[in-house]
Amino acid sequence: MDIELADAVAAVREELVEAAWRGRGQPVGFVVGPIEMEFIVELRADAKAKAGFKAWVLGSAEVQAGVSRGRTHKVKVTVTPKDPGGGDLLIAADAEGFGPGDVSGHVGR
């Protein structure tokens, strides 16, 4: 199964939004700190991409089977999630108005 690197990162973002939404009103909250993501990717030519290439995340079965070993690269990305106002992303909030707000347009896309 081919997954674009951008889609893999977007899936992590959507899961964080969902976690923040589920945590609203909970008495214990968490500040989300830096998140490290590591992927094995294969670069493939793509006429639609600006640089002419796209990075595709390989699944663990593909990596274990040695698919395209000569063309794979390990990519490690560290991100620090922020809320829309630039503050720390909170998983849970005690007071109304904290957290990500309405996520209905983002979750489950």
Side-chain angles (χ1 to χ4, degrees):
M1 176 169 71
D2 292 337
I3 301 171
E4 289 184 37
L5 179 60
D7 290 336
V9 173
V12 172
R13 178 187 303 112
E14 289 175 7
E15 289 294 322
L16 287 169
V17 169
E18 176 68 16
W21 179 253
R22 289 182 188 182
R24 289 186 70 178
Q26 297 297 313
V28 176
F30 304 97
V31 174
V32 179
I35 297 171
E36 288 187 3
M37 296 180 276
E38 190 171 287
F39 304 100
I40 302 296
V41 300
E42 180 179 34
L43 297 177
R44 298 182 196 156
D46 186 334
K48 296 177 188 175
K50 289 181 183 178
F53 290 92
K54 281 203 175 217
W56 296 89
V57 175
L58 299 180
S60 60
E62 292 171 303
V63 172
Q64 288 175 0
V67 172
S68 304
R69 276 217 182 268
R71 300 184 315 198
T72 61
H73 308 274
K74 185 185 292 189
V75 176
K76 185 175 183 180
V77 180
T78 302
V79 296
T80 303
K82 297 289 183 182
D83 70 16
D88 290 336
L89 177 65
L90 301 177
I91 303 296
D94 211 14
E96 186 66 23
F98 284 79
D102 180 17
V103 297
S104 60
H106 299 284
V107 177
R109 283 191 280 166

